[in-house]
């Protein structure tokens, strides 16, 4: 019988007041006549302003009524589209605040009181920033241009959604504030493109060009930075910063020309300066992850090293655990996903009822997933792990469980970049009591419309989520040494909502189920 079968069986928001005695003087009182006339004019202006305001509120309410009617009919399906998820966070953090400021001028306090109470549960600025970065992560991983994301042209989407000029501008500002000029350029260019096409917006071209010209300058594209700055000044000749920037750019350009002339005179050769590309296509900066290109290619289904020869060594079978009484009538459906290291998938591991019960238990306790700092051993959040998780749901909480589970939910752009499941840290307290993580049993509790694969960059494998199935692999060799080939990642969810649950088997208690081999890598 296979070791995991003995270890695991799976059943987771004016008053005007004056001290002057005007009644003693008709002359003074005549002044009040004009004051009253002025008040009437002010009142009329107030009424006109209120009518405009009410018209704006009514228009907003009608738009939101249509939107919420659609979103509440299928919340999870609606949020499966990452643009819908981003715009929900942006609306609640930014747009509703603007509406609040508008309504606050009214004497009606009911809505404000309710909104004030509800705001404590609204997304924060940090949430909006995180949602914007998630869209950028999807953009990079799946090689999506801003036009594709802005128009909402994503595979497997049930609800169509698009980004406005303001949304694109907001994306660019988020990147700019983070010092990410690569995405600043991409999203400010998209905002400018939609603005040039005549889209109605409160964002001005001057604002967009201000950010865009500086971000382009950060890439060293001096010619294009000057071109964009001149366009900005043509729209707003009094823009002080733009004028200052243009003079600075001109000085830099003149300095470049002087240096080129000096170089020509020294070399006595007629060299020509290579023209700067005016398309605005800049290289994505390198980051901390050495296998970034391989990892993201596998997430897109590219570069999978499954050859026909290797495919012939993979089989599917019924498994009764060496005639285990529990499995004789309903044996497990086992399928090889990879030959070396051996990864298998099991089918019909969880029923829909079991999955919903586990999700129900987990949802109230979901919190931002953490990782352990390799230097201090302290748990902390990290950009490379973006999910909500709960540790643990025990068997005592659910009659369906015979083992504790760690449940995770990957939402918009949710991911876990390449990592090992086994510990390489001497301060890990579980090493002494339970031993290292011998094996991983990963349950897929949902289908994912696009993205969300589990990939192994070392040997080029990509395993796609299938609801009700589970995959199993060993993290350690029989010697107890870590199998570094098992470094794996959870790809960002492009469209959909990914639920998984983990069970890690540790060395303690499994010594006889998987005894040591003769060599270090057996």
């Amino acid at each position: 019988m296979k070791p995991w079968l003995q270890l695991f069986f799976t059943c987771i928001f004016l008053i005007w007041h004056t001290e002057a005695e005007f009644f003693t003087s008709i002359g003074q009182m005549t002044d009040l006549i004009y004051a009253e006339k002025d008040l009437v004019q002010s009142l009329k202006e107030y009424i006109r302003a209120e009518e405009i305001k009410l018209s704006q509120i009514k228009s907003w309410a009608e738009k939101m009524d249509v939107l919420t009617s659609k979103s509440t009919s299928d919340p999870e399906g609606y949020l499966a589209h990452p643009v819908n998820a981003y715009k929900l966070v942006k609306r609640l953090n930014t747009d509703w605040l603007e509406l609040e400021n508008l309504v606050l001028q009214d004497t009606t306090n009911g809505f404000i009181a309710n909104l004030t109470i509800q705001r404590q549960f609204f997304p924060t600025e940090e949430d909006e920033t995180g949602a914007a970065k998630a869209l950028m992560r999807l953009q990079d991983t799946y090689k999506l241009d801003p036009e594709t994301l802005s128009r909402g042209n994503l595979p497997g989407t049930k609800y169509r959604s698009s980004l406005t000029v303001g949304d694109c501008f907001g994306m660019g500002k988020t990147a700019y504030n983070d010092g990410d000029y690569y995405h600043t350029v991409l999203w400010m260019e998209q905002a400018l493109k939609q603005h040039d096409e005549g889209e109605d917006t409160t964002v001005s071209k001057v604002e967009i060009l201000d950010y865009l010209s500086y971000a382009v300058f950060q890439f060293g594209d001096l010619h294009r930075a000057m071109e964009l700055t001149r366009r900005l000044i043509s729209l707003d000749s009094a823009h002080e910063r733009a004028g200052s920037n243009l003079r600075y750019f001109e000085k830099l350009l003149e300095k470049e020309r002087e240096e080129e002339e000096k170089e020509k005179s020294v070399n006595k050769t007629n060299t020509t300066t290579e023209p700067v590309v005016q398309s605005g296509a800049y290289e994505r900066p390198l980051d901390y992850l050495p296998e970034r290109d391989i990892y993201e290619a596998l997430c897109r289904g590219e570069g999978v090293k499954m050859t026909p020869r290797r495919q012939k060594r993979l089989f599917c079978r019924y498994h009764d655990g060496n005639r285990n009484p529990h499995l004789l009538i309903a044996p497990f459906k086992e399928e090889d996903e990879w030959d070396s290291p051996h990864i298998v998938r099991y089918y019909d591991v969880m029923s829909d009822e079991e999955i919903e019960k586990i999700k129900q238990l987990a949802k109230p306790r979901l919190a931002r997933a953490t990782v352990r700092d390799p230097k201090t051993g302290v748990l902390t959040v990290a950009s490379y792990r973006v999910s909500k998780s709960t540790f643990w749901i025990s068997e005592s909480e659910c009659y369906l469980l015979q083992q504790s589970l760690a449940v995770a939910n990957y939402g918009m752009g949710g991911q876990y970049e390449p990592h090992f499941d086994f510990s390489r840290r001497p301060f890990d307290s579980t090493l002494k009591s339970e031993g290292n993580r011998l094996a991983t049993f990963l349950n897929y509790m949902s289908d994912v419309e696009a993205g969300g694969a589990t990939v192994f960059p070392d040997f080029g494998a990509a395993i796609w989520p299938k609801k009700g199935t589970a995959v199993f692999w060993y993290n350690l060799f029989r010697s107890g040494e870590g199998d570094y080939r098992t470094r794996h990642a959870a790809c960002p969810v492009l469209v959909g909502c990914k639920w998984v649950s983990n069970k890690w088997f540790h060395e303690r208690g499994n010594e006889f189920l998987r005894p040591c081999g003769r060599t270090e890598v057996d």
Side-chain angles (χ1 to χ4, degrees), residues 86 90 163-173 191 194 199-203 208:
Y86 165 72
K90 180 178 181 294
L163 295 171
T164 64
V165 170
D167 295 330
C168 296
F169 181 71
M171 292 281 291
K173 279 184 66 176
Q194 292 180 209
E199 185 179 312
D200 187 28
T201 180
T202 57
V203 179
I208 299 171

Side-chain angles (χ1 to χ4, degrees), residues 91-102:
R91 280 198 307 274
L92 291 175
N93 181 61
T94 302
D95 298 351
W96 280 98
L97 178 60
E98 294 174 357
L99 184 69
E100 178 183 355
N101 292 333
L102 183 65

Side-chain angles (χ1 to χ4, degrees), residues 140 179-183 219 282-288 292-293:
D140 294 339
D180 178 4
Y181 299 115
Y182 172 73
H183 289 104
F219 275 97
Y282 305 108
E283 289 287 332
R284 178 183 169 193
L286 298 175
D287 66 1
Y288 55 86
R292 172 73 65 188
D293 291 342

Side-chain angles (χ1 to χ4, degrees), residues 476-482 507 514-517 519-522:
L476 306 178
F477 291 111
R478 287 183 178 272
S479 63
E481 292 295 322
E507 293 175 290
R514 193 175 188 247
C516 289
T519 68
E520 188 176 317
V521 293
D522 279 353

Side-chain angles (χ1 to χ4, degrees), residues 137 139-143 182 283-305 415 417-418 455-462 487 489 491-492:
R137 189 183 309 123
Q139 174 184 359
D140 294 339
T141 303
Y142 298 103
K143 289 190 174 180
Y182 172 73
E283 289 287 332
R284 178 183 169 193
L286 298 175
D287 66 1
Y288 55 86
L289 192 63
E291 67 263 66
R292 172 73 65 188
D293 291 342
I294 298 173
Y295 155 56
E296 292 184 349
L298 288 169
C299 289
R300 298 189 297 268
E302 303 168 4
V304 177
K305 299 176 181 177
Q415 65 164 0
E417 289 182 351
V455 299
F456 295 79
D458 186 82
F459 51 90
R487 181 172 167 87
C491 294

Side-chain angles (χ1 to χ4, degrees), residues 174-198:
T174 297
Y176 180 88
N177 292 335
D178 202 42
D180 178 4
Y181 299 115
Y182 172 73
H183 289 104
T184 302
V185 170
L186 291 176
W187 285 103
M188 289 302 174
E189 285 182 334
Q190 182 63 29
L192 187 60
K193 179 177 181 292
Q194 292 180 209
H195 205 305
D196 287 340
E197 290 172 351

Side-chain angles (χ1 to χ4, degrees), residues 62-79:
E62 289 172 348
K63 182 175 71 174
M64 295 309 300
D65 185 44
V66 173
L67 182 61
T68 54
S69 295
K70 181 169 67 174
S71 62
T72 53
S73 65
D74 182 9
E76 194 166 284
Y78 180 83
L79 291 173

Side-chain angles (χ1 to χ4, degrees), residues 159-398:
Y159 299 92
R160 185 71 176 268
S161 187
S162 59
L163 295 171
T164 64
V165 170
D167 295 330
C168 296
F169 181 71
M171 292 281 291
K173 279 184 66 176
T174 297
Y176 180 88
N177 292 335
D178 202 42
D180 178 4
Y181 299 115
Y182 172 73
H183 289 104
T184 302
V185 170
L186 291 176
W187 285 103
M188 289 302 174
E189 285 182 334
Q190 182 63 29
L192 187 60
K193 179 177 181 292
Q194 292 180 209
H195 205 305
D196 287 340
E197 290 172 351
E199 185 179 312
D200 187 28
T201 180
T202 57
V203 179
S204 70
K205 288 186 181 181
V206 168
E207 291 176 285
I208 299 171
L209 288 165
D210 193 15
Y211 282 96
L212 180 56
S213 59
Y214 185 79
V216 165
F217 168 68
Q218 290 297 315
F219 275 97
D221 194 344
L222 194 54
H223 290 270
R224 188 157 183 265
M226 290 179 64
E227 175 192 326
L228 292 166
T229 305
R230 288 193 180 105
R231 183 178 176 188
L232 190 163
I233 293 173
S234 71
L235 296 170
D236 183 3
S237 59
H239 199 288
E240 186 175 343
R241 183 171 56 252
S244 176
N245 286 345
L246 184 59
R247 290 189 293 272
Y248 178 66
F249 296 159
E250 289 171 341
K251 286 181 181 179
L252 288 178
L253 190 59
E254 183 61 31
K255 186 177 180 180
E256 281 186 9
R257 288 171 180 162
E258 289 175 358
E259 290 175 354
E260 288 170 8
E261 290 299 324
K262 286 181 182 179
E263 188 177 341
K264 284 180 183 179
S265 62
V266 170
N267 296 332
K268 295 182 180 180
T269 57
N270 293 324
T271 58
T272 57
T273 304
E274 184 178 338
V276 177
V277 177
Q278 300 293 313
S279 65
Y282 305 108
E283 289 287 332
R284 178 183 169 193
L286 298 175
D287 66 1
Y288 55 86
L289 192 63
E291 67 263 66
R292 172 73 65 188
D293 291 342
I294 298 173
Y295 155 56
E296 292 184 349
L298 288 169
C299 289
R300 298 189 297 268
E302 303 168 4
V304 177
K305 299 176 181 177
M306 178 55 68
T307 63
R309 184 175 180 179
R310 170 172 271 158
Q311 184 78 47
K312 291 179 180 179
R313 297 198 292 265
L314 305 181
F315 300 93
C316 55
R317 62 192 72 84
Y318 285 106
H319 203 286
D320 61 10
N322 293 328
R323 300 188 64 77
N324 183 298
H326 293 288
L327 300 174
L328 284 173
I329 297 176
F332 276 97
K333 302 171 185 175
E334 184 182 82
E335 180 182 42
D336 295 328
E337 286 280 354
W338 208 262
D339 56 345
S340 180
H342 195 202
I343 303 174
V344 295
R345 186 193 294 266
Y346 295 94
Y347 288 81
D348 302 327
V349 174
M350 286 185 177
S351 67
D352 289 348
E353 177 194 0
E354 291 165 342
I355 289 171
E356 290 307 311
K357 180 63 178 178
I358 293 169
K359 288 165 64 174
Q360 180 185 348
L361 287 168
K363 280 180 180 179
R365 287 180 283 175
L366 286 175
R368 174 74 182 267
T370 57
V371 295
R372 197 175 295 277
D373 188 295
K375 294 181 180 179
T376 65
V378 176
L379 290 173
T380 182
V381 297
S383 61
Y384 60 82
R385 187 178 190 186
V386 183
S387 66
K388 289 287 187 73
S389 65
T390 179
F391 289 83
W392 294 72
I393 292 180
S394 67
E395 56 270 35
S396 63
E397 295 180 89
C398 179

